[in-house]
Amino acid sequence: MPPKDAERLAELVEHAFELEGAERAAFVTQSCGDDAELRAEVDALLGEQEHVSKLMAAPAIEFGAALFIGDGTDAGELPAGEMLSDYRIVHLLGEGGMGEVYLAEDTQLHRKVAIKLIKSGFGTKAFVRHFQQEERILAALNHPNIARLYGGAVTRNGLPYFVMEYVEGIPLADHARARSLGMDEKLALFRKVCAAVSYAHQNLVLHRDLKPANIRVTEEGEPKLLDFGIARLLDPVTSETDNLTMLTAGVMTPDYASPEQRRGDRMTTASDTYSLGIVLYELLAGEKPNLRKNGQTEAKKFGGDIDNIISKALRPEPERRYASVGQFSEDIRRYSEGLPVIARKDTHGYRASKFVRRHKAGVAAAAVVLLALLGGLITTTRQMRIARQERDRAQIAQTKAEQARRQTELAKKQADRLNHFLEDLLSSADPAKMGKDVKVVQVLDAAGKSIDDDLAKEPEVLAQVHETLSRAYERLKVIPPAEQHARAALGILRQLHGEEDLATAKAEFLLGSVLASVYQLKEAEPLVRHALAVERRQAPPDAFALAETLRVLGGILSRDVRPGEAAPFLAESLALMRTSRGEHSLEYVQVLYTQAHAKHMETEVAAMQNRKADLDGAIAGYRRVIELFDQLAPSSTQAILARVELCICLGREQKWAEEEQELERLDQECRKTLGENNAFSVTSRGLHSILDFIKGDYPRVLEEARQPLDFSVANMPANHRNVVQLRGLYGLALTRTGRAAEGEPFLRAAYTEGSKTERFPFQFTFGNVETALGECLFAQGRYAECESLLLTGYDDLKTRLGEKLPMTVAAARRLRELYTAWNKPTEANRFAVQENPPANSSR
Amino acid sequence: MAGKSSEEVTALLLNWQSGDDEDAPAKLMPLVYDELRRVARAYLQHEREDHTLQATALVHEAYLQLVDDKKVTWKDRAHFYGIAARLMRQILMQHARAHQAAKRGGPAQVKLSLEEASDLSTDCAVELVALDDALEGFTKVYPRKSKVVELKFFGGMEAKQISEVLQVSEKTVLRDWNFARLWLSRELRHDAA
């Protein structure tokens, strides 16, 4: 509606509103005259009078008070009969540092439950998110000696609570005293506790707060562990860290806390072992151990091996304790049966298996490294055998025998080298040397450090090891060292064999793939093209190797947004892969994936040329590929990558609901396969942030987008569209939460780098960045500065996306706001009209 | 009992008033924002029993914390209240939208139990978001009237104070308010239908 009419409407309604009955009717009739439309508007608004009594009757803050609640403090004890969801409070069982524990009745399932109400104030939202991450894991702990966690929720006042199995029992120490248990009985009881803790560890859950009070014994003499994993639930800081580690001591009871826990270092299964050691001591002695400053116990208390066992569990250095709670328990069994215990000797034999057991998440990757190394070892061994056969056959020919002997020696040397390397790899995985959360990456780092010196005299082997390490890093998506090792291998092989050798070509291919994975396409392309040329010259050609090289080259061209050039290479690759590996192979699906990606890129080309293009083909392609990956290699990184691309496509097509669904799946897969910090989960979180932003959840964007942003800034070119987009997103979220000044640097960087970017994906143009920076300056009252940005941004959006798209409309709104605030009504109206065509506004 | 940012805020208000610092509103925003949040939270924690909160009292407390009352005129105070209202709106809407967004995500099981637990806040989040959206539309056609809504509904201000801030008569403020309620009511019911 034109502003003039709007003003007139308001005047009439305001005046009429103050009149009543016939007087009002007469006034309206007279004022509207023949204007039936105006009359209808006036009547409709006056008709609202009967509905408005409650609208905004109280100030918003009173109305919205419930939204603020959740940073709770003490609200007093819950009275009996009070309902929390389906649970009726019976009475208070006890109070602790974190809150209160109530006995309650589940009115649905008619059973007693214990409800732990948390009063150590932290926000509902943070808790809910944290809880959602953990709940599934904890609720899945199903062991006769562990009290079940049934669920958790938030009270109307915003206090979180847990619903747990109610255990009718008495604390461990009381039980031992009441029944006057003997040594053997105490040890048997303790071993049941160990079994429960061990079970939880196998399910990647630490207790973190083991103490006699958390161990109850039932009438039947069965121990039950309470509060498993609750400590972690209450420590939002740890949500980003590994399942088996914890950064802060948090709510832990200090008497039973391990030294690392008291220091606030990372916690592991060994921390629970320590706490169990104290529990055992107290169970046997009836009092807590007298700990020295370093956490070590006074030696000799009970006599014999049990002292050794306890002091091994209580070693200040986590790596010198038992490798697992299971081993601790086993040693107690051996003691009970009079067998020698391992607590006596400080054995090294467990290192490899310990490493594997403790670092499940990384084990898949470690296995890859080991397999590759073993593969190399097998090859050299085979060479050695061939050489030996040669020697046997040519026993008479002295020179030939000599030659064969030398060959054998070399092969043996290589085998030895690899063997040693393998051993070192495992022993450097010893957590003792690197702190408790050794990742495979750290193992590789440690292993890679010395190879240049160790293998200087065997360049062939050195190159091989470099390649192996490079591939291992690449699989882990840790690109800088992958690149470094590939370069080293290539350098050595070029020197040894020259440019045109097949081994050199393979190293070129490796380096090319690594570089391509971080978009260093300009350097990657000639490397892979040359490798392809060398491979094509081989007779007979290695169809599989060729197909792989063709696929990687196609991928490079596709990523370089030259999908047209990629197509023939990919078609050839697909055909070769079909013959060499078959259609039901991962490698074949990989080619299909690259083809889908090329299709995806076709739409980018279209967008660059301002042509409209739809992504349906690419989306269908990705969906098919994901389906095949899921069949062939569920949760593989390839499947995850395809999911990431699918989510991007869905986002571009503004299919938010579908994207959200896919993102959730992607999240699960990422966490399952790769753990928390990797390029994929970071990308997925970045995509999440975009969704959150669209939903207007700016605080969450600020919380979640920072990490993907930092990661992208560190790992991608500054003018990469992801970096530009995330910077813009973050800066705008700051702006919209009243922190425009803080947001400005992010938006400036996005603007400066964005202006160097030629290729913006479909639906995301530089106009977005300009408009965002404009909004930020506007929020700071810098009207003159923001005007030109908002104008050019709006023009760009209008030209590229059209006038009616939400982003363009929003940009027009910003301009209107600017001119309104600036007191330039004429300009403001220019954009008001565009945004609000008269046809829509008159309702 | 002016707080530690008091001097800064007071100076900013004075500079703004005298025209020395055009960026004053932007610089004031974060300071006032933090203080408002803090005060709001403190209030809510102590007044949880009946879930109410006096918006005026809240803004006034923030004001006392941040501004040295002796040095500023009523006009500065009016500006402060204007900023506070805008911020109250932002804070509240942030909570409401975040609340709504949180409702939409997450595993079904937990979601269910949370829904039961916090109907109250969900209802008002939904209403507030709808109202805020409607107000956006209203602002396009009636910028001043919508300012009245912001000051009164989000800032908890009385007609007299609003008339000072906007420099219009009290009668105009009341008329604007009445009209806005009719308009918004129609918009909201229209959307709901």
Side-chain angles (χ1 to χ4, degrees):
Chain A
M1 158 181 322
K4 230 184 185 173
D5 290 359
E7 275 311 313
R8 170 125 183 87
L9 174 67
E11 259 169 49
L12 284 179
V13 172
E14 281 168 19
H15 194 103
F17 190 76
E18 286 160 8
L19 305 171
E20 276 176 28
E23 223 179 326
R24 179 188 282 188
F27 170 78
V28 172
T29 311
Q30 196 201 341
S31 313
C32 293
D34 295 338
D35 195 339
E37 209 179 314
L38 180 64
R39 171 78 203 231
E41 282 289 298
V42 172
D43 283 345
L45 284 171
L46 287 172
E48 285 299 320
Q49 197 171 350
E50 55 180 299
H51 302 291
V52 296
S53 65
K54 281 184 185 162
L55 181 68
M56 303 189 292
I61 186 74
E62 292 175 25
F63 180 67
L67 292 170
F68 278 100
I69 297 171
D71 300 294
T73 50
D74 202 331
E77 189 185 318
L78 294 178
E82 170 103 0
M83 294 294 291
L84 289 181
S85 185
D86 288 335
Y87 308 101
R88 183 182 294 115
I89 298 295
V90 180
H91 60 74
L92 188 68
L93 287 170
E95 278 175 272
M98 304 185 277
E100 294 151 357
V101 184
Y102 292 92
L103 174 64
E105 190 199 342
D106 184 335
T107 55
Q108 295 290 308
L109 299 171
H110 303 290
R111 62 180 175 189
K112 287 177 181 175
V113 295
I115 287 191
K116 186 163 214 154
L117 185 64
I118 306 305
K119 292 188 163 182
S120 65
F122 61 95
T124 307
K125 255 185 67 188
F127 169 75
V128 170
R129 206 172 316 142
H130 192 58
F131 185 80
Q132 285 170 350
Q133 290 169 358
E134 295 292 315
E135 190 236 10
R136 250 175 314 169
I137 303 170
L138 293 181
L141 283 187
N142 188 359
H143 189 277
N145 300 111
I146 296 178
R148 289 290 297 269
L149 174 73
Y150 294 134
V154 183
T155 69
R156 292 174 79 88
N157 290 343
L159 298 178
Y161 63 89
F162 306 101
V163 184
M164 294 176 294
E165 180 182 347
Y166 173 64
V167 177
E168 271 174 284
I170 56 174
L172 181 66
D174 298 348
H175 172 84
R177 219 174 297 122
R179 303 269 176 108
S180 327
L181 298 183
M183 179 81 153
D184 287 349
E185 289 162 309
K186 283 177 180 174
L187 291 179
L189 187 62
F190 182 77
R191 288 195 57 224
K192 280 189 179 173
V193 173
C194 288
V197 176
S198 189
Y199 164 85
H201 286 180
Q202 279 157 20
N203 285 280
L204 304 181
V205 179
L206 296 185
H207 191 294
R208 298 161 197 277
D209 194 12
L210 281 166
K211 55 186 174 187
N214 273 339
I215 304 167
R216 303 274 164 141
V217 186
T218 64
E219 193 60 30
E220 294 78 38
E222 280 295 312
K224 283 261 190 188
L225 272 67
L226 310 183
D227 287 359
F228 233 110
I230 299 294
R232 178 179 156 89
L233 266 183
L234 294 174
D235 187 357
V237 181
T238 60
S239 58
E240 292 296 307
T241 57
D242 301 343
N243 268 328
L244 281 174
T245 58
M246 178 167 172
L247 279 174
T248 61
V251 290
M252 178 77 186
T253 319
D255 279 350
Y256 302 89
S258 56
E260 67 270 21
Q261 198 167 357
R262 265 175 276 152
R263 282 195 305 270
D265 287 353
R266 282 174 179 268
M267 290 178 64
T268 66
T269 53
S271 314
D272 275 352
T273 301
Y274 183 95
S275 302
L276 279 174
I278 306 252
V279 169
L280 177 59
Y281 184 101
E282 198 179 326
L283 180 64
L284 296 179
E287 58 183 23
K288 289 188 194 76
N290 199 357
L291 296 176
R292 292 197 209 117
K293 261 190 193 147
N294 62 4
Q296 184 76 304
T297 44
E298 298 291 350
K300 305 299 167 218
K301 169 89 189 179
F302 311 104
D305 276 342
I306 197 72
D307 286 333
N308 293 332
I309 288 174
I310 289 176
S311 65
K312 185 167 173 72
L314 292 182
R315 295 249 160 82
E317 311 87 349
E319 66 279 359
R320 291 185 59 220
R321 291 175 209 146
Y322 285 101
S324 68
V325 172
Q327 204 186 61
F328 182 18
S329 173
E330 174 63 14
D331 230 16
I332 296 172
R333 183 189 69 80
R334 295 177 69 85
Y335 168 77
S336 302
E337 294 175 9
L339 299 167
V341 299
I342 57 171
R344 274 182 182 168
K345 44 187 176 22
D346 206 358
T347 170
H348 295 275
Y350 289 88
R351 274 184 184 160
S353 66
K354 186 163 82 174
F355 169 73
V356 170
R357 231 177 306 128
R358 283 206 181 156
H359 304 284
K360 262 190 176 166
V363 161
V368 168
V369 180
L370 295 183
L371 279 177
L373 286 169
L374 285 171
L377 202 58
I378 290 163
T379 313
T380 23
T381 318
R382 198 185 301 133
Q383 285 167 355
M384 199 163 72
R385 200 175 54 237
I386 293 167
R388 208 179 290 127
Q389 285 166 356
E390 288 278 314
R391 188 190 57 193
D392 291 346
R393 241 181 273 138
Q395 245 171 0
I396 313 152
Q398 195 65 26
T399 45
K400 216 175 179 186
E402 179 60 22
Q403 200 184 351
R405 196 184 55 77
R406 274 210 303 276
Q407 224 174 330
T408 312
E409 234 164 59
L410 178 69
K412 193 174 175 314
K413 237 186 199 165
Q414 286 190 350
D416 283 349
R417 279 296 179 194
L418 276 174
N419 214 351
H420 278 136
F421 183 70
L422 192 67
E423 273 179 2
D424 281 349
L425 185 70
L426 274 178
S427 64
S428 63
D430 182 357
K433 292 180 190 160
M434 296 189 229
K436 294 304 289 185
D437 72 331
V438 182
K439 296 270 167 53
V440 175
V441 172
Q442 287 168 286
V443 176
L444 294 175
D445 288 349
K449 251 179 218 159
S450 60
I451 56 171
D452 283 331
D453 293 336
D454 290 352
L455 298 172
K457 285 179 186 151
E458 280 119 317
E460 191 90 38
V461 181
L462 180 59
Q464 203 180 336
V465 173
H466 274 306
E467 282 185 357
T468 304
L469 286 171
S470 172
R471 270 191 291 272
Y473 277 115
E474 195 204 0
R475 280 194 190 90
L476 295 166
K477 301 289 157 210
V478 185
I479 298 307
E483 181 187 334
Q484 201 186 317
H485 285 292
R487 279 191 200 285
L490 182 58
I492 295 167
L493 291 169
R494 272 185 179 150
Q495 227 171 12
L496 282 176
H497 305 296
E499 294 277 350
E500 305 305 312
D501 183 79
L502 187 62
T504 314
K506 292 223 176 290
E508 277 181 324
F509 169 73
L510 178 62
L511 179 59
S513 335
V514 170
L515 290 171
S517 73
V518 283
Y519 278 79
Q520 297 189 31
L521 306 172
K522 289 282 164 282
E523 194 187 345
E525 189 184 333
L527 283 167
V528 178
R529 276 189 191 275
H530 183 257
L532 180 67
V534 175
E535 278 171 14
R536 279 200 197 279
R537 282 201 296 271
Q538 298 301 310
D542 179 344
F544 171 65
L546 255 183
E548 280 283 282
T549 312
L550 286 162
R551 174 181 66 78
V552 169
L553 181 56
I556 289 171
L557 295 169
S558 172
R559 280 173 189 209
D560 203 30
V561 203
R562 288 145 69 194
E565 289 175 59
F569 292 113
L570 292 174
E572 191 187 347
S573 169
L574 196 68
L576 284 168
M577 211 56 104
R578 191 182 290 124
T579 52
S580 63
R581 286 288 148 126
E583 288 189 13
H584 295 285
S585 66
L586 255 187
E587 292 87 352
Y588 183 78
V589 183
Q590 275 282 90
V591 185
L592 286 181
Y593 165 77
T594 315
Q595 282 189 324
H597 188 261
K599 269 229 148 37
H600 178 177
M601 288 303 115
E602 274 170 27
T603 65
E604 304 248 339
V605 175
M608 272 153 53
Q609 298 164 348
N610 291 331
R611 279 190 288 118
K612 185 113 177 75
D614 74 274
L615 280 157
D616 289 349
I619 290 176
Y622 286 134
R623 284 203 192 279
R624 181 180 167 212
V625 167
I626 290 170
E627 198 184 316
L628 290 170
F629 275 139
D630 279 347
Q631 284 169 17
L632 292 166
S635 307
S636 59
T637 49
Q638 291 108 317
I640 287 171
L641 186 59
R643 286 201 153 86
V644 170
E645 295 289 350
L646 175 62
C647 287
I648 291 172
C649 286
L650 291 171
R652 300 261 158 82
E653 289 283 270
Q654 309 200 2
K655 294 177 174 167
W656 310 129
E658 274 178 75
E659 190 193 349
E660 193 162 12
Q661 206 181 340
E662 290 295 335
L663 269 178
E664 203 158 292
R665 183 72 197 274
L666 174 61
D667 266 354
Q668 287 171 12
E669 296 288 328
C670 280
R671 207 162 298 143
K672 202 161 76 190
T673 317
L674 302 162
E676 293 286 342
N677 280 314
N678 59 76
F680 294 131
S681 65
V682 166
T683 311
S684 143
R685 243 171 289 163
L687 291 169
H688 256 307
S689 289
I690 295 172
L691 271 183
D692 286 337
F693 189 89
I694 289 160
K695 286 193 229 154
D697 189 351
Y698 307 124
R700 180 150 179 191
V701 172
L702 294 182
E703 240 171 84
E704 301 285 335
R706 190 59 205 242
Q707 195 209 357
L709 172 62
D710 290 343
F711 188 91
S712 311
V713 169
N715 293 290
M716 288 169 164
N719 67 344
H720 190 281
R721 64 195 187 213
N722 288 1
V723 182
V724 172
Q725 198 174 9
L726 277 172
R727 274 191 165 139
L729 198 72
Y730 194 76
L732 203 51
L734 280 168
T735 303
R736 293 197 179 163
T737 47
R739 294 157 69 186
E742 283 173 67
E744 193 181 333
F746 291 96
L747 287 160
R748 284 253 176 246
Y751 178 79
T752 315
E753 295 299 335
S755 61
K756 297 179 202 157
T757 304
E758 294 155 26
R759 288 190 296 269
F760 276 97
F762 187 59
Q763 298 251 349
F764 177 68
T765 80
F766 190 53
N768 287 110
V769 184
E770 288 172 306
T771 305
L773 180 57
E775 185 183 335
C776 176
L777 297 175
F778 172 67
Q780 302 178 61
R782 289 147 67 180
Y783 299 156
E785 275 179 80
C786 75
E787 184 187 16
S788 63
L789 283 165
L790 288 176
L791 282 173
T792 51
Y794 174 71
D795 280 344
D796 183 50
L797 288 164
K798 201 165 78 175
T799 340
R800 306 248 312 183
L801 306 180
E803 211 164 329
K804 293 209 174 91
L805 258 136
M807 292 179 214
T808 320
V809 175
R813 190 188 310 138
R814 298 280 161 250
L815 276 160
R816 231 186 55 77
E817 282 171 3
L818 165 68
Y819 288 125
T820 307
W822 211 355
N823 213 1
K824 294 189 177 180
T826 326
E827 276 92 343
N829 287 336
R830 203 149 59 84
F831 293 97
V833 174
Q834 283 179 6
E835 188 179 355
N836 244 11
N840 289 342
S841 68
S842 60
R843 64 176 161 87
Chain B
M1 45 164 266
K4 67 171 180 184
S5 321
S6 162
E7 236 164 84
E8 200 178 346
V9 171
T10 309
L12 279 168
L13 273 175
L14 288 172
N15 289 342
W16 184 18
Q17 199 52 31
S18 63
D20 286 349
D21 188 354
E22 281 183 22
D23 291 338
K27 290 176 187 162
L28 276 169
M29 285 270 182
L31 297 171
V32 180
Y33 186 93
D34 286 348
E35 184 59 23
L36 270 179
R37 276 185 89 110
R38 196 190 64 71
V39 177
R41 196 164 287 167
Y43 261 75
L44 283 160
Q45 281 171 0
H46 294 117
E47 303 196 357
R48 205 204 329 270
E49 293 297 294
D50 54 353
H51 290 203
T52 60
L53 179 70
Q54 293 268 299
T56 342
L58 190 139
V59 174
H60 190 65
E61 183 174 322
Y63 176 75
L64 288 179
Q65 288 286 334
L66 289 173
V67 182
D68 187 346
D69 209 20
K70 279 172 274 185
K71 287 191 192 151
V72 299
T73 64
W74 64 267
K75 262 187 169 174
D76 304 317
R77 194 160 61 230
H79 278 299
F80 180 88
Y81 278 74
I83 290 178
R86 155 65 51 91
L87 288 168
M88 289 294 291
R89 180 176 176 185
Q90 279 183 9
I91 297 169
L92 209 58
M93 292 321 299
Q94 236 175 56
H95 272 79
R97 287 186 199 280
H99 188 93
Q100 261 198 329
K103 303 293 299 174
R104 285 196 287 262
Q109 204 191 334
V110 176
K111 206 170 138 190
L112 194 75
S113 48
L114 286 174
E115 242 152 40
E116 288 159 4
S118 53
D119 285 335
L120 182 73
S121 42
T122 304
D123 286 352
C124 71
V126 170
E127 280 179 46
L128 274 177
V129 170
L131 186 67
D132 195 57
D133 288 345
L135 197 54
E136 279 280 287
F138 185 64
T139 313
K140 285 173 202 153
V141 199
Y142 301 104
R144 189 198 63 223
K145 291 179 201 296
S146 109
K147 197 74 201 163
V148 170
V149 175
E150 191 168 270
L151 292 170
K152 189 162 163 55
F153 182 59
F154 289 102
M157 292 169 72
E158 296 303 318
K160 187 170 183 323
Q161 294 170 296
I162 298 173
S163 76
E164 285 172 5
V165 174
L166 296 180
Q167 310 227 3
V168 293
S169 72
E170 248 185 276
K171 187 170 180 203
T172 305
V173 169
L174 287 174
R175 286 182 138 198
D176 283 351
W177 173 248
N178 285 331
F179 179 78
R181 292 222 295 172
L182 294 175
W183 196 97
L184 291 169
S185 162
R186 185 173 178 222
E187 189 73 10
L188 288 169
R189 293 199 310 119
H190 188 100
D191 279 357

